[in-house]
Amino acid sequence: MQLERLAIADVVKIVPPRYGDDRGYFSEVFKDAWFRSQVEDVGFVQDNQSLSAAKGTVRGLHYQLPPFAQGKLVRCITGAVFDVAVDLRAGSPTYGRWVGTELSGRSGAQLWIPVGFAHGFATLEPDSIVHYKVTAPYSAGHDRGLLWNDPGIGIAWPVGADDAILSEKDRKQPPLAEIAPSDRFSLYVERT
């Protein structure tokens, strides 16, 4: 598997190899021992999948607070998305900064987003299916979010505010400057 650390080094793009012929391809998309040794020593407890019917659908920016904070391994099975992670780790040198990359069914690329980040994506094609593994189960009481187009973060989304298709919940999320200190990740630990 190819591994690429993005501008925020704890966020990792992973591209599993594909072995193909005229029938199609075969790919091992996840190996527990490899992931634990090369990316992060975590276990996954739940798999989620979403279908976004229209191009320009935006989901996010979402995160959960401890003890249900989630690391996410995200991949796009069909279609394509622009996937984003925003650093919410107080004390981190990249606090409030974002990284993003395209994930598609064609490339098979995945994105590891560790605990302490908000996550979201915008669909680049209709009928995009996103699958993600998470390190903690969903908890409505710990569910939080950020305004997807917060100018203080400045994400270069591939869709404008007038064209984005959002849930009512995502439209009403607060900007980063307005989230309560208790809704931030209070401890940043530099990885060695």
Side-chain angles (χ1 to χ4, degrees):
M1 293 198 193
Q2 292 179 341
L3 185 146
E4 175 190 349
R5 296 199 178 270
L6 300 186
I8 300 175
D10 293 334
V11 180
V12 181
K13 185 174 183 178
I14 301 163
V15 183
R18 288 184 171 176
Y19 307 97
D21 58 25
D22 57 350
R23 299 168 299 162
Y25 70 82
F26 171 82
S27 181
E28 290 181 337
V29 298
F30 178 76
K31 293 168 106 174
D32 184 69
W34 180 89
F35 191 90
R36 287 176 185 268
S37 69
Q38 300 298 312
V39 181
E40 191 163 336
D41 189 10
V42 296
F44 294 98
V45 300
Q46 183 174 311
D47 283 27
N48 302 319
Q49 187 167 301
S50 69
L51 165 67
S52 298
K55 177 182 176 180
T57 298
V58 175
R59 295 181 185 261
L61 299 161
H62 305 143
Y63 63 101
Q64 286 190 172
L65 296 175
F68 294 98
Q70 294 178 324
K72 297 179 180 179
L73 181 60
V74 184
R75 69 187 181 113
C76 184
I77 298 171
T78 301
V81 300
F82 180 66
D83 207 68
V84 172
V86 178
D87 191 349
L88 298 180
R89 302 169 299 171
S92 166
T94 55
Y95 177 81
R97 289 185 32 206
W98 67 277
V99 291
T101 192
E102 183 175 323
L103 304 177
S104 72
R106 288 177 301 284
S107 74
Q110 302 175 44
L111 192 63
W112 164 244
I113 303 165
V115 167
F117 287 77
H119 169 251
F121 63 85
T123 58
L124 302 172
E125 297 178 7
D127 297 321
S128 291
I129 298 175
V130 173
H131 176 268
Y132 49 104
K133 303 174 87 55
V134 294
T135 59
Y138 175 74
S139 171
H142 297 83
D143 184 35
R144 299 291 187 276
L146 294 175
L147 183 63
W148 74 282
N149 61 348
D150 177 356
I153 299 170
I155 297 170
W157 290 105
V159 59
D162 292 339
D163 299 321
I165 301 165
L166 293 140
S167 70
E168 226 18 66
K169 173 185 169 183
D170 287 345
R171 279 186 200 286
K172 296 179 179 180
Q173 297 289 5
L176 179 61
E178 294 179 15
I179 65 170
S182 60
D183 285 359
R184 297 182 184 134
F185 292 86
S186 60
L187 180 61
Y188 169 70
V189 178
E190 188 168 350
R191 299 180 199 282
T192 56

Short mmCIF file of all heavy atoms in Angstrom, two decimals, residues 4 32 44 64 70 84 174 188 190:
data_model
loop_
_atom_site.label_atom_id
_atom_site.label_comp_id
_atom_site.label_asym_id
_atom_site.label_seq_id
_atom_site.Cartn_x
_atom_site.Cartn_y
_atom_site.Cartn_z
N GLU A 4 0.83 8.34 2.00
CA GLU A 4 1.27 9.73 1.81
C GLU A 4 0.74 10.57 2.96
O GLU A 4 -0.47 10.66 3.17
CB GLU A 4 0.72 10.27 0.49
CG GLU A 4 1.01 11.73 0.26
CD GLU A 4 0.25 12.30 -0.94
OE1 GLU A 4 -0.33 11.53 -1.72
OE2 GLU A 4 0.25 13.53 -1.07
N ASP A 32 -5.41 -5.01 8.92
CA ASP A 32 -5.32 -4.52 10.29
C ASP A 32 -3.87 -4.37 10.76
O ASP A 32 -3.48 -3.32 11.26
CB ASP A 32 -6.10 -5.45 11.23
CG ASP A 32 -6.12 -4.92 12.65
OD1 ASP A 32 -6.77 -3.89 12.90
OD2 ASP A 32 -5.47 -5.55 13.51
N PHE A 44 -11.07 -0.62 14.76
CA PHE A 44 -12.31 -0.08 14.20
C PHE A 44 -13.50 -0.86 14.75
O PHE A 44 -13.44 -2.07 14.89
CB PHE A 44 -12.28 -0.13 12.68
CG PHE A 44 -11.24 0.78 12.09
CD1 PHE A 44 -10.01 0.28 11.71
CD2 PHE A 44 -11.48 2.14 11.95
CE1 PHE A 44 -9.03 1.12 11.20
CE2 PHE A 44 -10.50 2.98 11.44
CZ PHE A 44 -9.28 2.47 11.05
N GLN A 64 -17.06 13.97 16.81
CA GLN A 64 -17.64 13.56 18.08
C GLN A 64 -16.64 13.81 19.20
O GLN A 64 -15.44 13.69 19.01
CB GLN A 64 -18.01 12.07 18.06
CG GLN A 64 -19.22 11.77 17.24
CD GLN A 64 -19.76 10.37 17.39
OE1 GLN A 64 -20.81 10.10 16.89
NE2 GLN A 64 -19.10 9.46 18.06
N GLN A 70 -14.04 9.94 17.25
CA GLN A 70 -13.83 8.95 16.20
C GLN A 70 -12.63 9.29 15.32
O GLN A 70 -12.49 10.41 14.85
CB GLN A 70 -15.05 8.88 15.28
CG GLN A 70 -16.31 8.36 15.91
CD GLN A 70 -17.48 8.39 14.94
OE1 GLN A 70 -17.61 9.28 14.13
NE2 GLN A 70 -18.34 7.39 15.06
N VAL A 84 -12.30 16.26 3.29
CA VAL A 84 -11.64 17.32 4.05
C VAL A 84 -11.53 16.94 5.52
O VAL A 84 -12.46 16.35 6.09
CB VAL A 84 -12.44 18.63 3.93
CG1 VAL A 84 -11.88 19.70 4.85
CG2 VAL A 84 -12.45 19.12 2.49
N PRO A 174 -22.03 26.02 13.85
CA PRO A 174 -21.30 27.25 14.17
C PRO A 174 -19.95 27.32 13.48
O PRO A 174 -19.35 26.29 13.16
CB PRO A 174 -21.12 27.14 15.69
CG PRO A 174 -21.03 25.67 15.94
CD PRO A 174 -22.00 25.05 14.95
N TYR A 188 -3.28 18.07 22.67
CA TYR A 188 -2.54 17.77 21.47
C TYR A 188 -1.27 17.04 21.87
O TYR A 188 -0.50 17.54 22.69
CB TYR A 188 -2.19 19.04 20.69
CG TYR A 188 -1.20 18.79 19.58
CD1 TYR A 188 -1.56 18.09 18.44
CD2 TYR A 188 0.12 19.21 19.69
CE1 TYR A 188 -0.65 17.85 17.44
CE2 TYR A 188 1.04 18.98 18.67
CZ TYR A 188 0.63 18.30 17.55
OH TYR A 188 1.53 18.04 16.56
N GLU A 190 2.11 15.45 20.28
CA GLU A 190 2.91 15.31 19.07
C GLU A 190 3.37 13.88 18.93
O GLU A 190 3.87 13.27 19.86
CB GLU A 190 4.11 16.25 19.14
CG GLU A 190 4.87 16.29 17.82
CD GLU A 190 5.88 17.42 17.78
OE1 GLU A 190 5.87 18.27 18.68
OE2 GLU A 190 6.67 17.42 16.83
#
